[in-house]
Amino acid sequence: MRWSPWVLAKFALVSATAIMQWTIYMGLLITFGLTLRKGHEPLITGMVRRMHGDLDLALIQYTRKVTVAWTLFFAAQIIVSISLLCFAPLVVWSFYANILDLPLVLAMFTIEYVVRQRCLENPPRHSLAAILAMIAEPVQKETPASSTTESL
């Protein structure tokens, strides 16, 4: 096979797209997955707690399952993308990576919303603006009263 400038450019474009997609999903997989370790609060549970305060047991269990579902989704996205790039025609991988990616994420959000409405008795309601504001707001750590000093 000759490595013409066209072949090299095509290889570079495909490689850049694949590496960017895999890096994003791997980062999300690690971020969500690490919060599922014993002794840690699942990511979605923490987000819901920041928006709604104390949570009941049913919501804590549900949000843990949602964190697991997103973690599995990110892993599946990586596995399918790598498999298609290695074993399917390039056009199939390209369609998956460039066209189906966003609809699959939107489908995941939609499925989670429908499941939430069916599984939770009184599901929390929030706007997209409220979610984005919560994400943008830095997490404030509580300081123990004994460690704070007041100046007079």
Side-chain angles (χ1 to χ4, degrees), residues 95-151:
F95 181 75
Y96 175 80
N98 297 304
I99 306 298
L100 290 182
D101 190 49
L102 184 58
L104 288 171
V105 171
L106 293 175
M108 183 67 180
F109 274 112
T110 303
I111 291 166
E112 188 279 321
Y113 176 80
V114 169
V115 170
R116 183 179 349 134
Q117 298 306 310
R118 291 180 187 250
C119 289
L120 295 177
E121 202 169 292
N122 187 16
R125 304 208 188 288
H126 36 67
S127 67
L128 181 59
I131 294 169
L132 294 176
M134 182 270 306
I135 291 170
E137 181 180 307
V139 177
Q140 307 229 338
K141 301 267 183 181
E142 292 183 24
T143 58
S146 61
S147 67
T148 59
T149 58
E150 293 182 25
S151 57

Side-chain angles (χ1 to χ4, degrees), residues 47-66:
M47 293 172 76
V48 173
R49 187 180 309 282
R50 281 182 65 195
M51 292 188 74
H52 300 284
D54 290 334
L55 308 176
D56 64 18
L57 183 59
L59 190 54
I60 291 170
Q61 291 172 340
Y62 176 78
T63 55
R64 178 176 180 75
K65 291 175 183 173
V66 172

Side-chain angles (χ1 to χ4, degrees), residues 42-102:
L43 184 65
I44 303 295
T45 306
M47 293 172 76
V48 173
R49 187 180 309 282
R50 281 182 65 195
M51 292 188 74
H52 300 284
D54 290 334
L55 308 176
D56 64 18
L57 183 59
L59 190 54
I60 291 170
Q61 291 172 340
Y62 176 78
T63 55
R64 178 176 180 75
K65 291 175 183 173
V66 172
T67 305
V68 169
W70 277 104
T71 302
L72 294 173
F73 175 80
F74 300 138
Q77 287 288 87
I78 294 166
I79 291 166
V80 170
S81 183
I82 291 171
S83 298
L84 289 175
L85 185 61
C86 292
F87 303 113
L90 187 58
V91 69
V92 173
W93 172 82
S94 182
F95 181 75
Y96 175 80
N98 297 304
I99 306 298
L100 290 182
D101 190 49
L102 184 58

